[in-house]
Amino acid sequence: MRGNISRQEAVSMIPPLLLNVNPHHKILDMCAAPGSKTAQLIEMLHADMNVPFPKGFVIANDVDNKRCYLLVHQAKRLNSPCIMVVNHDASSIPNLQIDVDGRKEVLFYDRILCDVPCSGDGTMRKNIDVWKKWTTQNSLQLHGLQLRIATRGVEQLAEGGRMVYSTCSLNPIENEAVIASLLEKSQGALELADVSSELAGLKRMPGITKWKVMLKDGQWFEDWKDVPSNRQTQIRPTMFPIKDEEKLKAMNLERCLRILPHHQNTGGFFVAVLIKKSPMPWNKRQPKVHQKLPQRTGDTEVIAANSDNGSECITEEPTLAENEESKKTQEPQNSDTEQSKKEGVCGPPPSKKMKLFGFKEDPFVFLPEDDPLFLPIQKFYALDPSFPKMNLLTRTQEGKKRQLYMVSKELRNVLLNNSEKMKVINTGIKVWSRNSDGEQFGCAFRLAQEGIYTLYPFIHARIINVCIEDVKILLTQENPFLSKFSSETQKKVKDMAMGSIVLKYDPDPEKPDDLQCPIVLCGWQGKTSLRAFVPKNERLHYLRMMGVEVFKAKRKEEELESKTEEEVQHRLAQTEERMDVEDKERDLVTKMEAEIGEESSRSPVEGSAIEVENKIEDLDQSSKNANSHVSQESKDTDTSNVKD
């Protein structure tokens, strides 16, 4: 799969659309796997294809380590330098820090997608397991987790930012109950956005304000006070609707979206759009006084500290600068970690629990500014001076660097300042691959198709403009000779040294029947040939866009291969039949000689010899008949093949 066409439930596309993403937004996808919504967010970041590095980025998180790799597979198909996949529990995802003008600041997100785990009863049309396994207990068990994830999301949301909470469930305990509880404890810091004018044509129902809670055994409860003490671990107060009418009216729960399956032949879905107007009440605290350097009083050290006053809350982590100061004075053994930071190495978190959980990831090592590896690349491709070489990274600290990856400036900032508290599964796109043949031509790295659209705006050399016919030759033939290309292409190639090249197709508006979409391909110029380094699935995609019937051509190849195989088997059968006839001849001659030896004393020699000759003649005649039969079968087979 290339990702040019991705299948997704129609209602599942709604949450990213209601986020109103712009290319400069910093986005967090809290429960991202398998990644269909993440792919939508990446597309929105790259709305302007002429901007290779949008200022925004997407951090896609999932708690399941294995599902994170499914998420990587999905995101990689879009070839974006602005995506990072991390592996954390969404309900306790750490605060990240970034460097802003030399100061360490907490990273707050402009947009957060909170598509939480749910019972999935809205998928009853396509998921037969819902009918077999659904119970009211599912929603009771998930409510607490959903509320914790949503709470952690709004904590990390920037003021004025937008968070979309969504489930594929229709149970109010997983939907309105979570939103009502979140709004109540936010004390006015959050509000439900009115999105009735957005997504015109979408049939929707308003959120509900009254519901009951039901246990697995069929007991119903309207109020928390009615719940017996032995059931209060299963049912919590936040599961019930707000009783205060004024509070309930101020919440505007009717602004939530309920999409029912029968309205437009979709799955069931719930969506709520929250806007953060001010910090959450448990985060409103006095700014911390930065730790001062240790002061010596006689033989003892006194470290000035400041105690926080405020309500009980999720503790804000100290800044990285404070951590470094305390480490220098109290933990000198961490010098290796500090040295790796200076060298631009972003390794996996040092926690032992992390090492036992999932796969051990390779570190992210950014290329130093004076790395000699980059100079030949810059010269060979005549890279623009504005090329952000500091954003190049590898996944190895020792030995030869085989692949070079690239991330956006903003993700580089996140990586360098959070390597100890964040488990990064994958980030960046591959832009160059080591090629030993290229060293003799001046550059050991060839261009990679994954990152060519990101690199192309910065490349000023080794670009060949090709026509549509040349593109078809490049994509249908493995290593075509130069003589097969247009005369213009041959002239351009003639004056260029061997090695990695860029092949660019620009559409001609005067030829509307031709492909009207620009294409950039990675290629390799040899002595007498020109080839494209493009993955097979991507080749097929481009050929379909150009109207080439790739499946028809593929069927012809398969038919030709099967026909050739049938002919080989037929010839083998003929050979085996002839060998059988020869073996029979040999056996008969041996038998005749034995009979002659036994009867030589009883019958004249002449008569025996004549009898042997007659039998051999009969055998020859039968052999000829068999051969003629085989040849006739061969002719019949050839005739039938021609008819077919």
Side-chain angles (χ1 to χ4, degrees):
M1 292 175 66
R2 177 65 205 154
N4 307 109
I5 298 175
S6 187
R7 188 175 64 177
Q8 186 180 0
E9 168 74 59
V11 289
S12 179
M13 299 179 184
I14 294 171
L17 294 174
L18 290 176
L19 273 176
N20 291 344
V21 172
N22 289 319
H24 65 276
H25 283 153
K26 298 181 283 290
I27 307 166
L28 172 64
D29 191 350
M30 299 190 76
C31 309
S36 54
K37 296 180 183 69
T38 308
Q40 280 182 267
L41 297 173
I42 296 170
E43 286 179 346
M44 292 171 184
L45 278 184
H46 292 274
D48 186 355
M49 288 297 291
N50 295 319
V51 179
F53 294 102
K55 290 185 178 179
F57 56 79
V58 178
I59 293 179
N61 173 70
D62 203 85
V63 67
D64 191 320
N65 186 259
K66 291 181 180 178
R67 281 166 64 88
C68 280
Y69 291 94
L70 180 62
L71 179 57
V72 170
H73 173 70
Q74 184 87 316
K76 277 286 181 185
R77 295 183 297 176
L78 294 173
N79 299 331
S80 171
C82 305
I83 171 71
M84 179 190 293
V85 177
V86 297
N87 181 203
H88 288 281
D89 180 356
S91 63
S92 58
I93 191 167
N95 284 328
L96 303 184
Q97 291 181 323
I98 52 175
D99 190 305
V100 181
D101 299 327
R103 302 187 318 275
K104 298 288 188 269
E105 293 186 1
V106 176
L107 171 62
F108 290 102
Y109 300 94
D110 302 302
R111 298 288 186 267
I112 293 180
L113 179 58
C114 188
D115 186 49
V116 296
C118 64
S119 60
D121 55 35
T123 64
M124 64 183 82
R125 282 188 163 190
K126 66 177 182 180
N127 188 357
I128 197 169
D129 282 344
V130 171
W131 296 90
K132 295 177 180 178
K133 300 176 182 178
W134 183 89
T135 68
T136 55
Q137 199 69 20
N138 297 347
S139 58
L140 300 180
Q141 291 171 348
L142 287 166
H143 171 84
L145 174 64
Q146 292 164 340
L147 182 55
R148 290 196 302 274
I149 293 174
T151 303
R152 189 68 187 122
V154 294
E155 285 173 352
Q156 298 201 327
L157 187 64
E159 289 183 42
R162 180 178 278 213
M163 184 180 92
V164 171
Y165 175 91
S166 63
T167 70
C168 52
S169 168
L170 297 174
N171 194 323
I173 293 172
E174 300 178 61
N175 300 328
E176 284 90 351
V178 173
I179 298 299
S181 177
L182 194 58
L183 290 170
E184 185 178 28
K185 66 180 180 179
S186 75
Q187 298 176 14
L190 298 173
E191 72 171 357
L192 272 169
D194 184 3
V195 292
S196 56
S197 60
E198 299 181 36
L199 302 180
L202 176 69
K203 294 179 182 177
R204 64 194 93 183
M205 296 288 288
I208 60 177
T209 55
K210 303 291 180 184
W211 61 88
K212 298 178 184 179
V213 179
M214 179 184 173
L215 283 175
K216 189 176 181 180
D217 57 9
Q219 290 185 68
W220 289 91
F221 300 98
E222 291 188 16
D223 199 316
W224 166 249
K225 292 182 290 186
D226 303 332
V227 181
S229 57
N230 64 334
R231 296 292 193 181
Q232 289 183 0
T233 54
Q234 297 176 45
I235 298 179
R236 303 301 301 153
T238 54
M239 297 179 182
F240 292 91
I242 305 294
K243 294 299 180 184
D244 189 327
E245 291 295 331
E246 288 186 8
K247 276 188 179 180
L248 188 62
K249 188 176 180 181
M251 287 180 181
N252 297 312
L253 288 179
E254 68 279 357
R255 291 181 177 177
C256 299
L257 276 67
R258 285 181 155 265
I259 296 143
L260 304 183
H262 63 282
H263 280 172
Q264 48 218 334
N265 195 25
T266 64
F269 218 75
F270 174 87
V271 185
V273 181
L274 294 161
I275 293 177
K276 188 173 182 179
K277 299 192 294 182
S278 62
M280 303 305 289
W282 54 88
N283 289 134
K284 290 177 181 176
R285 49 171 66 181
Q286 297 297 321
K288 288 187 176 181
V289 177
H290 288 284
Q291 287 180 331
K292 297 179 182 178
L293 290 173
Q295 299 173 356
R296 287 193 174 273
T297 306
D299 294 329
T300 62
E301 286 188 352
V302 179
I303 299 175
N306 179 61
S307 61
D308 293 322
N309 297 320
S311 59
E312 187 177 349
C313 65
I314 297 174
T315 308
E316 290 183 0
E317 297 179 13
T319 62
L320 197 58
E322 292 168 354
N323 282 338
E324 288 177 357
E325 286 178 2
S326 61
K327 283 176 186 174
K328 285 178 184 175
T329 55
Q330 298 175 17
E331 300 179 23
Q333 68 269 24
N334 287 348
S335 58
D336 293 340
T337 307
E338 297 299 328
Q339 183 63 28
S340 68
K341 262 188 195 178
K342 290 177 183 177
E343 293 173 356
V345 179
C346 303
S351 168
K352 289 182 180 178
K353 289 182 181 178
M354 284 296 190
K355 288 182 181 178
L356 294 172
F357 180 62
F359 300 99
K360 185 178 178 182
E361 295 297 327
D362 294 327
F364 296 84
V365 186
F366 284 93
L367 257 62
E369 195 170 356
D370 56 349
D371 195 316
L373 188 74
F374 182 71
L375 291 174
I377 296 174
Q378 188 176 29
K379 185 179 177 182
F380 190 73
Y381 297 103
L383 295 178
D384 194 87
S386 64
F387 179 76
K389 61 183 177 181
M390 293 294 287
N391 298 350
L392 288 173
L393 60 86
T394 63
R395 299 299 299 272
T396 178
Q397 287 180 267
E398 299 175 357
K400 278 189 173 182
K401 298 175 177 66
R402 301 197 174 276
Q403 315 284 352
L404 293 182
Y405 301 88
M406 175 161 270
V407 295
S408 65
K409 181 179 69 175
E410 289 73 19
L411 276 188
R412 181 181 187 274
N413 191 349
V414 174
L415 270 171
L416 286 176
N417 289 290
N418 300 280
S419 60
E420 292 183 3
K421 62 172 72 172
M422 185 172 60
K423 184 176 181 184
V424 181
I425 301 297
N426 199 284
T427 189
I429 52 168
K430 184 166 65 176
V431 287
W432 278 292
S433 297
R434 183 178 285 277
N435 188 342
S436 55
D437 294 338
E439 292 184 15
Q440 57 185 316
F441 307 126
C443 182
F445 287 86
R446 68 170 179 84
L447 296 164
Q449 184 66 28
E450 280 181 36
I452 190 60
Y453 285 96
T454 300
L455 277 183
Y456 177 73
F458 301 99
I459 298 175
H460 296 309
R462 306 195 62 76
I463 299 173
I464 298 174
N465 289 308
V466 292
C467 62
I468 191 74
E469 297 304 323
D470 289 343
V471 176
K472 290 178 182 177
I473 292 170
L474 286 164
L475 296 176
T476 54
Q477 299 183 31
E478 189 59 34
N479 205 7
F481 289 108
L482 290 173
S483 57
K484 294 187 176 182
F485 294 94
S486 64
S487 56
E488 290 182 6
T489 301
Q490 291 183 45
K491 287 177 185 177
K492 292 172 186 175
V493 171
K494 190 177 180 181
D495 301 329
M496 197 175 288
M498 289 189 288
S500 185
I501 57 172
V502 179
L503 299 158
K504 176 72 186 299
Y505 164 73
D506 288 310
D508 187 353
E510 296 180 1
K511 297 179 180 178
D513 293 337
D514 287 349
L515 180 66
Q516 294 299 305
C517 172
I519 294 177
V520 183
L521 305 175
C522 292
W524 184 270
Q525 180 191 338
K527 285 184 179 179
T528 58
S529 62
L530 189 68
R531 65 172 298 183
F533 275 114
V534 182
K536 182 180 178 182
N537 290 328
E538 196 164 344
R539 286 179 182 231
L540 294 176
H541 170 66
Y542 285 132
L543 288 170
R544 287 189 201 104
M545 288 172 64
M546 290 183 285
V548 178
E549 296 185 32
V550 288
F551 290 117
K552 189 175 180 181
K554 196 174 180 182
R555 279 198 300 271
K556 282 183 179 178
E557 287 179 10
E558 290 173 354
E559 286 173 5
L560 186 63
E561 287 175 3
S562 62
K563 185 178 177 181
T564 307
E565 190 176 346
E566 285 175 6
E567 287 177 356
V568 170
Q569 290 177 353
H570 187 63
R571 289 195 190 100
L572 286 172
Q574 285 181 339
T575 306
E576 288 175 3
E577 197 166 346
R578 288 194 190 98
M579 289 174 68
D580 290 342
V581 170
E582 289 174 1
D583 290 341
K584 285 179 182 177
E585 276 187 19
R586 233 180 274 113
D587 293 342
L588 185 56
V589 169
T590 305
K591 187 178 179 182
M592 292 281 82
E593 287 175 350
E595 288 177 359
I596 290 167
E598 289 176 2
E599 296 176 0
S600 58
S601 57
R602 298 196 301 268
S603 56
V605 176
E606 290 82 1
S608 298
I610 291 168
E611 187 178 348
V612 169
E613 285 178 3
N614 290 338
K615 287 187 177 182
I616 288 174
E617 283 177 5
D618 293 340
L619 186 61
D620 286 342
Q621 186 62 35
S622 66
S623 174
K624 286 177 184 178
N625 291 338
N627 285 335
S628 64
H629 177 67
V630 169
S631 61
Q632 184 61 36
E633 278 187 355
S634 177
K635 286 178 183 178
D636 294 343
T637 305
D638 292 341
T639 307
S640 64
N641 286 336
V642 170
K643 287 179 182 176
D644 292 341

